Amino acid sequence: MIDFHTHPVQVADLFDDDPTLTRAVQEVFGLWMSPQPLRTYELHIEEAGADKAVAVPLDCTTAHGMTVVSNEQIARLMELTDKAIGFASVDPRDPEAPQKLQHAVAEYGLKGLKLDPALQQFDVADADTAFPVYQAAQELGIPLLIDCGLSWAPKGRAALARPLALEPAIHAFPELQIVISHFAWPWVDEAVALAVKHRNVHLETSILYSGTPPESLKHTLDRVGLDLLDRSLHAQVVFGSDYPRVDPKRVADGVRRLGLRPALERKVFNDNAARLLRLEVAVA
Amino acid sequence: MRSQVIRFGVQTTADTQVIDITERVREMVRESGAQNGQALVMTLHTTTAITVNEGLPDLEDDIVEMLQELAPAERNYRHARFLHSDGQMAVNAPSHLRGALLGFQCLFPIADGELVMGGRQTIYFVELDGPLYREAIVQVMAA
């Protein structure tokens, strides 16, 4: 089982060598919780029933002058724990972003790309800035995890994160595997419409706005229709928690309480993510 | 009256855990050098608890089951929303309520350098929203 969306912004080991990280986590990401030992991060993954978790950085250099965990710190995290599947992040407004992505994958062995248009403040349909990054990810054969919908980050601008704005990129890069986080709440219909039409578009389960994760997942996905997930999107939904915005155990509990067919639940919790990450042997 | 506050950490490993800290507390009291006074044991978190009971695994399980029945996971709690001051979803009302039921501290006398405890009494640190690294204190007050 794989958690496809965690931010290691509470892992104390990463703060030890970087006095600026506290400011980035608080002022840009918007988290005011104390750091925890690496072991707590590992235990959160285990408590959810997961074996591994995608750990993401965020390069907000142009928008905010800092990174909320760097690619190098993700590489260090991967050295410290075998639970973490590290992704890279680059700043699309940096002309050297494609080369930096290639470097992060080649040098650090990072397995995917994380972008957050609301927080990085870029236009996802901009052919001059965003498209070269998508092109690089497609050529590298790595998936893109992109934040869509409500951004809890204080400086996040949700208007930049509407899923339909991704359509030109989906057309231009049909081989790029795109994972839209949060089911893009509140624009769930837009995200579902894209996923129903495009088999390279995937949806991630951290639907966070109010109530408990079991409540918000049920409320949202009942409206989408669990039969639609089963029939048309069974290969395109992945479990993700958006830790530490919410604990992985609670999002996992919410997915389990949906009452999905066992085969679909297994795909959501494991198989779809394993395929996207090209894991040689799917974890249990 | 002199006061020493000794902080200590507990790495919990699951959502709910009942952890025997009796020997750790006894040792901290001994190391404090206090001969006669009182020791306050207090958790620094609102989703953990400190309680005293007989140190038996079946009772530990019964305590957990009682808490889960009294403050069930599923109920229409108000505390189920985004907490802007933390930057997290605050969806752990049952953990808070279970902590409130057990309480957050206990107090024991110290006599001749040792905690005065009943033979069956065990001091528990109770995790109610783990796994997390937690902190608690022992305040030793002695003449």
Side-chain angles (χ1 to χ4, degrees):
Chain A
M1 178 172 158
I2 300 164
D3 184 338
F4 209 86
H5 192 177
T6 70
H7 297 265
V9 291
Q10 269 191 291
V11 177
D13 306 60
L14 303 183
F15 288 76
D16 293 343
D17 302 327
D18 183 1
T20 66
L21 187 54
T22 298
R23 195 172 140 232
V25 169
Q26 293 183 351
E27 293 181 12
V28 179
F29 188 78
L31 186 84
W32 288 269
M33 303 297 289
S34 301
Q36 286 272 322
L38 171 66
R39 184 67 186 133
T40 298
Y41 176 72
E42 295 175 322
L43 288 163
H44 272 300
I45 296 166
E46 292 173 12
E47 185 66 15
D51 307 278
K52 291 181 178 291
V54 168
V56 298
L58 202 53
D59 186 342
C60 300
T61 304
T62 302
H64 308 297
M66 58 187 86
T67 59
V68 183
V69 180
S70 66
N71 294 338
E72 290 74 16
Q73 286 167 325
I74 292 293
R76 175 164 156 69
L77 181 69
M78 289 175 73
E79 290 174 357
L80 294 172
T81 175
D82 62 4
K83 299 279 185 201
I85 300 169
F87 272 30
S89 182
V90 293
D91 178 355
R93 289 198 276 168
D94 176 353
E96 295 181 10
Q99 292 74 32
K100 288 183 176 177
L101 179 59
Q102 289 158 359
H103 174 76
V105 171
E107 182 72 17
Y108 305 129
L110 302 181
K111 305 297 185 190
L113 169 65
K114 170 64 190 269
L115 295 175
D116 183 340
L119 199 46
Q120 293 177 298
Q121 295 179 1
F122 71 93
D123 177 356
V124 297
D126 189 318
D128 295 328
T129 54
F131 276 33
V133 176
Y134 304 146
Q135 177 75 39
Q138 181 173 262
E139 289 172 0
L140 289 163
I142 58 173
L144 164 63
L145 173 62
I146 187 161
D147 262 33
C148 284
L150 170 66
S151 168
W152 284 115
K155 297 176 188 290
R157 294 179 181 167
L160 294 167
R162 288 200 72 141
L164 269 188
L166 283 169
E167 201 161 33
I170 295 166
H171 287 162
F173 305 100
E175 303 303 317
L176 178 63
Q177 301 300 312
I178 300 172
V179 180
I180 294 174
S181 66
H182 318 308
F183 263 75
W185 190 93
W187 299 300
V188 176
D189 291 346
E190 291 185 15
V192 170
L194 291 175
V196 165
K197 180 176 177 182
H198 302 284
R199 288 196 288 178
N200 61 323
V201 175
H202 308 259
L203 304 168
E204 175 266 301
T205 61
S206 59
I207 300 166
L208 315 169
Y209 57 94
S210 185
T212 63
E215 289 168 345
S216 55
L217 272 160
K218 181 168 174 40
H219 181 263
T220 301
L221 297 184
D222 274 355
R223 200 168 62 79
V224 169
L226 294 184
D227 55 343
L228 184 144
L229 298 190
D230 214 1
R231 293 165 179 159
S232 298
L233 296 177
H234 58 88
Q236 292 163 253
V237 179
V238 297
F239 164 66
S241 68
D242 199 22
Y243 169 84
R245 293 289 187 209
V246 70
D247 296 326
K249 64 183 179 185
R250 292 194 164 93
V251 183
D253 181 45
V255 173
R256 291 189 180 101
R257 290 198 206 183
L258 287 171
L260 304 177
R261 290 191 207 193
L264 176 59
E265 186 178 290
R266 181 180 172 81
K267 289 177 183 175
V268 171
F269 274 137
N270 184 78
D271 297 357
N272 294 340
R275 190 181 63 255
L276 286 168
L277 296 165
R278 299 186 175 189
L279 296 181
E280 290 180 8
V281 180
V283 293
Chain B
M1 181 74 74
R2 281 181 26 203
S3 167
Q4 294 180 57
V5 175
I6 307 156
R7 293 173 82 107
F8 64 100
V10 180
Q11 174 70 63
T12 67
T13 59
D15 176 82
T16 304
Q17 271 184 292
V18 181
I19 301 167
D20 181 351
I21 58 169
T22 312
E23 278 312 307
R24 289 186 74 177
V25 174
R26 282 187 193 277
E27 193 56 34
M28 283 182 262
V29 168
R30 286 186 198 115
E31 288 178 359
S32 75
Q35 291 301 302
N36 296 290
Q38 292 179 325
L40 170 74
V41 185
M42 187 181 88
T43 176
L44 298 181
H45 308 276
T46 53
T47 55
T48 64
I50 299 286
T51 193
V52 176
N53 217 296
E54 186 168 357
L56 295 172
D58 51 3
L59 275 172
E60 293 168 2
D61 291 344
D62 285 339
I63 289 169
V64 170
E65 196 170 297
M66 174 197 71
L67 293 170
Q68 290 170 344
E69 287 174 5
L70 292 173
E74 290 182 82
R75 182 175 283 179
N76 187 18
Y77 297 108
R78 293 169 184 80
H79 187 69
R81 62 186 174 88
F82 190 77
L83 192 60
H84 293 77
S85 56
D86 285 354
Q88 285 183 315
M89 295 299 294
V91 288
N92 57 353
S95 309
H96 285 280
L97 299 181
R98 291 167 190 173
L101 288 169
L102 284 183
F104 303 106
Q105 69 277 313
C106 66
L107 185 69
F108 280 94
I110 301 168
D112 299 326
E114 293 285 341
L115 276 188
V116 179
M117 299 182 68
R120 300 195 178 199
Q121 286 185 317
T122 297
I123 306 172
Y124 287 111
F125 182 93
V126 185
E127 174 60 77
L128 299 164
D129 193 14
L132 283 167
Y133 181 79
R134 302 293 205 169
E135 287 191 310
I137 60 146
V138 175
Q139 183 190 28
V140 177
M141 296 164 284

